[in-house]
Amino acid sequence: MSADSEDNASNTVRNVAAAGVGCGCLMSPVILVIGAVVVIVFGGFGVLLAPLIALILLFGGGGGSDSANEAIGHEIENVFGGDGKEELDENTVPDDLVDSIKDAGDLCSDIGPIVIASQLENASGFNAEMKGANGEKGISQLPPEIFEKYGEDDDDNDEVDAMDTADSIMAQGRYMCDLAEQAKSAIDAKTVEGTVLDVTLAAYRIGMDAVIEAGGVPQSNDAVGYVAAIRAQFAKYAGVAAPPDGATPGVTPSPDESGGPDEPDDSEFVDTRTADSGSADDGTPAP
């Protein structure tokens, strides 16, 4: 690891520690376990897993015995680094979205419902009325040309509409399954390295061409940050850490509210995915 990477890793450790102190929670083994994961996997890229840290601090950071917290920490670690195929805890998403999320997660063997749920929160915060700056519509915020390719009348109302949650979520599932097939082919051909899920998530964010050109998940905050942000939600949607009483399904409490670090700023990210290739127009990551 370079000196810059070591500095970033040290900063990450300090931020994890500061999150615990700022929340008034004990620095339990749960926090230490996840802090190690952050440093080892993403420390060199300056990526802070704010949703995961908030989840730990709010749902498992202060209560219970050290042994119980340590067990939860290891379970969260396993889910964070797993294949995303755990069953969806239906209590963690809005009731009217449960069936669509589970159906989308059952479309192929490589993409589970907790992946779909995590992406939905990341894309729109489960806001079915959201409209993006580049024509994206609905809960999944797919680029228009991608929704046009993968969207179907999944709610049987005789129209295909990105503002319909079932149509939008199922289109996302089909797109992810298509990308997963491309990822498996590229991995088998030794064109890229990495897990099917990580390659698929990176391709969803920046395009498959950019991932192939990099030989795997590009070492940029856009690509690595997105993979990390989606994985950071897995434990919640798998029901590993129960949300506190009164928590809104599908919403991770803001780390700002718990004294934790802000999420990485990706406001400059430009979505250049295309429906034909599922890739960036020029095969390179956005700045």
Side-chain angles (χ1 to χ4, degrees):
M1 183 180 289
S2 67
D4 288 343
S5 296
E6 290 176 354
D7 288 342
N8 286 332
S10 298
N11 288 336
T12 305
V13 173
R14 286 194 293 270
N15 279 309
V16 172
V21 174
C23 181
C25 300
L26 298 177
M27 285 299 292
S28 70
V30 178
I31 298 173
L32 297 179
V33 167
I34 300 302
V37 174
V38 174
V39 173
I40 293 171
V41 181
F42 301 108
F45 310 109
V47 176
L48 299 179
L49 303 187
L52 187 59
I53 294 170
L55 177 69
I56 295 163
L57 294 174
L58 291 168
F59 303 161
S65 66
D66 284 347
S67 60
N69 284 339
E70 185 173 5
I72 294 173
H74 284 301
E75 191 171 359
I76 291 174
E77 179 185 357
N78 290 335
V79 174
F80 170 81
D83 57 13
K85 298 178 184 178
E86 288 80 7
E87 291 187 12
L88 176 72
D89 182 341
E90 297 182 8
N91 295 317
T92 62
V93 298
D95 291 342
D96 60 330
L97 302 180
V98 170
D99 289 342
S100 293
I101 292 173
K102 293 177 71 173
D103 288 346
D106 288 339
L107 287 173
C108 60
S109 61
D110 297 297
I111 305 300
I114 68 169
V115 178
I116 300 295
S118 299
Q119 289 184 294
L120 291 175
E121 178 174 346
N122 181 275
S124 68
F126 294 94
N127 178 5
E129 303 300 319
M130 185 172 178
K131 295 183 180 180
N134 297 307
E136 304 91 345
K137 294 180 180 180
I139 196 167
S140 294
Q141 289 292 287
L142 293 172
E145 65 274 14
I146 291 179
F147 179 79
E148 183 177 354
K149 179 177 181 179
Y150 295 96
E152 297 179 10
D153 180 20
D154 290 287
D155 56 3
D156 297 322
N157 67 348
D158 296 325
E159 64 178 349
V160 180
D161 188 351
M163 301 298 286
D164 292 341
T165 55
D167 294 0
S168 184
I169 293 171
M170 292 300 288
Q172 177 188 337
R174 294 186 189 99
Y175 181 42
M176 283 292 289
C177 287
D178 190 351
L179 290 174
E181 285 300 316
Q182 295 179 49
K184 287 192 291 187
S185 296
I187 291 170
D188 290 344
K190 301 188 184 305
T191 306
V192 302
E193 295 181 352
T195 68
V196 172
L197 180 56
D198 286 348
V199 171
T200 301
L201 287 172
Y204 186 90
R205 174 67 171 180
I206 64 172
M208 186 60 77
D209 286 353
V211 175
I212 291 175
E213 182 174 323
V217 179
Q219 303 305 291
S220 67
N221 280 343
D222 282 339
V224 176
Y226 182 73
V227 174
I230 299 306
R231 284 187 172 278
Q233 303 288 5
F234 285 178
K236 177 177 69 175
Y237 291 113
V240 172
D245 293 339
T248 302
V251 178
T252 295
S254 169
D256 292 336
E257 296 172 4
S258 63
D262 294 332
E263 292 188 63
D265 180 10
D266 58 2
S267 59
E268 297 182 357
F269 172 76
V270 178
D271 190 341
T272 56
R273 295 170 293 175
T274 63
D276 291 338
S277 63
S279 63
D281 289 341
D282 59 359
T284 59

